[in-house]
Structure formats: structure tokens, C-alpha cells
Amino acid sequence: VRRGDLLDAAESVLVERGMTAFTVDEVTVRANVAKGTFYLYFQSKEDVLAALRDRFLDGLMATQRAELAALPEGDWLGRLELWMETSIRGYLAQIPLHDALFMHANVEGRGAVHPANPHLDSLVEILQAGSAAGAFTVDSPTAAAVLLYAAMHGATDYVIDNPDAMPVDELVAESRLLCRRLASR
Amino acid sequence: VRRGDLLDAAESVLVERGMTAFTVDEVTVRANVAKGTFYLYFQSKEDVLAALRDRFLDGLMATQRAELAALPEGDWLGRLELWMETSIRGYLAQIPLHDALFMHANVEGRGAVHPANPHLDSLVEILQAGSAAGAFTVDSPTAAAVLLYAAMHGATDYVIDNPDAMPVDELVAESRLLCRRLASR
DNA sequence: ACCTGAACACCGTTCAAGT
DNA sequence: ACCTGAACACCGTTCAAGT
């Protein structure tokens, strides 16, 4: 209830003002509560940022699951390509939030590739299942997934920072090529 | 002179105490100067962090250039593989510094893939020259470079965070496989 | 010309008091 | 039980005074 208001206020502050201007004071003012109330619902400033990241990824993955489910049963290459493309486009669809959440990730012990990252896990599953089915030729599905995930995330950050130097479509096309090279022939 | 002392002090604070404990006060105490002296040589706290990043990358690239120069003239695949491997191992050789500098990169407007990044540029050059020579089959050497760079950097961060879940050698082997798939056949 | 360190401004967090 | 907001602690940055 009140927690949801604070989360919404935090997201709007982050999107409109950016990470530098993201203060607990600003969040509570926008949620119409006293500064101290914030600490009844969140342990710290980092805590609310982590909650925002979780909410962002949950939404992205829900969309992604629906799109992946529409593909034919054994189309592993299609799954891999779709995972890459919807991830990139999903991040780019919410640049300000993604930017604030992941680019200036001033959170202790968390890089772009989070230790416990369900989004990464979903890519691992595709690569493991696809390999077992003989669709991919990789030595380590996990290592390949980490590489592809990092490629996706980092390259997306790059495009966000350099929209003129690198069109999204060019990046997506090259990521498709990369995926096709993992396919068994 | 004095600037170098402050840089060294900043690096030792960062490596020994981490980003959270990294305060201008701590740096100046360790360099045996007054707090205000810091601002005679650096514009801000972010400024000294950027200087440390530059120094770190300069050292890595110097080593890398030497190793690459030892390869036969037209061995583009070897160059690509070596670039990936020496980058990963070079980062891992200085985990505490790399970790503090790039993982919790709480710097405005800078992700793992920096807008003006000479390290990335060196990979772009390899891919462009190799493509021109017919060694690689890629649509966009730049996009492929951004993807490979992001894969390398992000996957390295992952290994740093999860040393038990993913051995370095497994990651390097898979990165070699990825490189070989870019080779023309 | 270079250095000092007290002072200022800002912000995350706490807690005694209120309803 | 939940909320308030003044107070505290900490740290980046500045600047008048010193050598």
C-alpha cells in the first residue's frame, strides 16, 4: 500500500531527475510522507533501488516469456535470437529507468551480471536445453550464456550512450548473426 | 609529482578499503597532505577515479600490444582470440582494482563500455582489418566488436563475482570458440 | 605559487515524541 | 501500530589565511 506509493515515487524521481538527484528526501516529498516514513518500508536507499531493479526485470521477463511461448516446440535458434532481440529492445524501451538502474549501478557488489540473476538463468536454460537437443554446438552452455548475456547487456548500454554511433538495428542484426554461429551445422 | 602521490594513495585506498570507504579525506591522510590540497590536483572525487581507470587501462593495453605484436602478420583469428584472453586475464590479475573501478562504477554517464574507449577501439581495428582481409565474416565489424567487448567485460565481472560457479579457463575456452565462429570458412 | 584546515552544504539515517 | 520531522553523523567542496 504505502510501500507501493514509495516505489512509484522512487521510480518517477529516478526517471525524471536521474541517479544523482535521487535522494530519500525527494522520494518522500513526492510520496507525500515524512522522511522517516521511508525507513519503515525500506532498509536503506540501496534497498529501494534493488526493489526497482527487481520490478523492472520482472516486467521484462513476463513479456519475454509470452513471446517465447509462441514459438514452435523445437526452434532453439529462434528462441536464442528472440531472447537477444527482446532483451535489447525491452531495455531500450525504458531507457531512462534502465539507464539509472544499471548504468550508474552504484550498488555494492553488483555488476551488470548479477550473482543471482533470473534473467540470465532463463538464457542458460535455453542454451542447455538446445544443446541437449543437438541444436547448438557449445562446450559450456553456462559460459556461452554468460558471454551472450554480457554481450547483450553491455552492448545495449553502449547504444544507450552512443545513439548516433550505433543504430539499434545494426546491433540487433549482428546479435542475430552471433546466435546463428552457435547453431549446429 | 604531488599529483602522482595522490593517485597512488587513491589506488591503495580503493584496493584496501573498497569504493564505499573511498573518501577524499582518507586519500589525503594517506598522501600526507591537507584535505584542500586534493582539489589543487583533481577537480573532484570522480576525477581521480577516472584518472585511475585510465592508468589501469593504459597498463593493460601496453601488455596486450606487446603480445599481439608477436603474432604472425595475417593471423587475424589469433589476434582476436588473444585479445579476448589477455583482456580477461589482465582484468583478473588485478581484481581488487578492477572490481572497485568498474563493478561499482558509480560514475555519471559511464557504463562498462565507455563512450570514448581506446581499449574497445583496439578491438574494432582488429575486426575491421581482419574483415577487410577476408578473415572474418561479419556484417558490421563495429557492432561485432561492441558485442565481443561487452561479452568479455561483463563475463569477466561475472567470474569475479562467482569464482566458484565459473572457472576462468571454462570462460576463456568458450570465448575462443566464440571467436572461431567469426572466422570465415 | 602552493598549502592548510576550519567552515559550509548536503544527504542518509535515527529516534523521541505525537496520533 | 503507524507516522513525524528535528537532530545527528558523515563527507564533498570551498576559501580566507598562512608560508
Side-chain angles (χ1 to χ4, degrees), chain A residues 63-80:
Chain A
T63 307
Q64 208 163 39
R65 261 193 302 275
E67 297 196 45
L68 288 172
L71 286 182
E73 188 69 31
D75 186 6
W76 296 110
L77 179 55
R79 272 180 168 62
L80 185 58

Side-chain angles (χ1 to χ4, degrees), chain B residues 41-94:
Chain B
Y41 297 94
F42 299 98
Q43 285 195 333
S44 66
K45 181 180 166 180
E46 298 301 346
D47 190 29
V48 74
L49 287 171
L52 281 179
R53 267 192 298 276
D54 289 345
R55 198 163 77 162
F56 173 79
L57 284 178
D58 284 348
L60 175 63
M61 285 188 290
T63 307
Q64 209 163 38
R65 263 193 302 274
E67 297 196 44
L68 287 172
L71 286 182
E73 187 69 31
D75 187 7
W76 297 111
L77 178 55
R79 272 181 168 63
L80 185 58
E81 288 181 346
L82 189 62
W83 188 95
M84 290 293 279
E85 176 158 356
T86 55
S87 293
I88 293 173
R89 294 198 189 282
Y91 280 133
L92 290 176
Q94 300 212 47

Side-chain angles (χ1 to χ4, degrees), chain A residues 66-181:
Chain A
E67 297 196 45
L68 288 172
L71 286 182
E73 188 69 31
D75 186 6
W76 296 110
L77 179 55
R79 272 180 168 62
L80 185 58
E81 288 182 346
L82 188 61
W83 187 96
M84 290 293 279
E85 177 158 355
T86 55
S87 293
I88 293 173
R89 294 198 188 281
Y91 280 132
L92 289 176
Q94 301 212 47
I95 288 183
L97 183 59
H98 170 274
D99 192 50
L101 284 177
F102 294 98
M103 294 289 291
H104 327 129
N106 54 5
V107 180
E108 276 304 301
R110 299 193 168 203
V113 181
H114 189 276
N117 185 334
H119 195 207
L120 170 61
D121 292 343
S122 69
L123 181 58
V124 171
E125 277 170 36
I126 291 172
L127 278 165
Q128 277 177 342
S131 291
F136 299 132
T137 307
V138 293
D139 283 353
S140 161
T142 310
V146 169
L147 281 164
L148 283 176
Y149 184 86
M152 177 282 296
H153 211 150
T156 302
D157 289 347
Y158 181 85
V159 170
I160 290 173
D161 258 357
N162 308 277
D164 298 327
M166 169 78 64
V168 179
D169 290 334
E170 184 177 341
L171 180 65
V172 170
E174 200 64 40
S175 83
R176 280 182 177 281
L177 258 180
L178 200 59
C179 292
R180 289 204 192 93
R181 292 195 183 95

Side-chain angles (χ1 to χ4, degrees), chain A residues 2-98:
Chain A
R2 188 57 61 94
R3 193 176 190 274
D5 295 342
L6 282 165
L7 259 184
D8 291 340
E11 181 169 317
S12 75
V13 170
L14 203 52
V15 168
E16 291 168 27
R17 307 279 315 273
M19 185 63 87
T20 315
F22 184 79
T23 61
V24 173
D25 192 65
E26 180 85 18
V27 172
T28 53
V29 164
R30 204 171 288 214
N32 285 317
V33 296
K35 213 173 170 185
T37 306
F38 177 89
Y39 290 91
L40 296 175
Y41 296 94
F42 299 99
Q43 285 194 333
S44 65
K45 181 180 165 179
E46 297 302 346
D47 190 30
V48 75
L49 287 170
L52 280 179
R53 267 192 298 276
D54 289 346
R55 197 163 77 162
F56 174 78
L57 284 178
D58 284 349
L60 174 64
M61 285 189 289
T63 307
Q64 208 163 39
R65 261 193 302 275
E67 297 196 45
L68 288 172
L71 286 182
E73 188 69 31
D75 186 6
W76 296 110
L77 179 55
R79 272 180 168 62
L80 185 58
E81 288 182 346
L82 188 61
W83 187 96
M84 290 293 279
E85 177 158 355
T86 55
S87 293
I88 293 173
R89 294 198 188 281
Y91 280 132
L92 289 176
Q94 301 212 47
I95 288 183
L97 183 59
H98 170 274

Side-chain angles (χ1 to χ4, degrees), chain B residues 90-113:
Chain B
Y91 280 133
L92 290 176
Q94 300 212 47
I95 287 183
L97 183 59
H98 170 274
D99 191 51
L101 284 176
F102 295 97
M103 294 288 291
H104 326 129
N106 54 4
V107 180
E108 276 304 301
R110 300 193 168 200
V113 182

Side-chain angles (χ1 to χ4, degrees), chain A residues 111-114 120 142-154, chain B residues 84 87-88 91-92 98 103 112 147-163 166-168 170-172 174-175 178:
Chain A
V113 181
H114 189 276
L120 170 61
T142 310
V146 169
L147 281 164
L148 283 176
Y149 184 86
M152 177 282 296
H153 211 150
Chain B
M84 290 293 279
S87 293
I88 293 173
Y91 280 133
L92 290 176
H98 170 274
M103 294 288 291
L147 282 164
L148 283 176
Y149 184 87
M152 177 282 295
H153 210 151
T156 302
D157 289 348
Y158 181 86
V159 170
I160 290 173
D161 257 358
N162 307 276
M166 169 78 63
V168 179
E170 184 178 340
L171 179 65
V172 169
E174 199 64 40
S175 83
L178 200 60

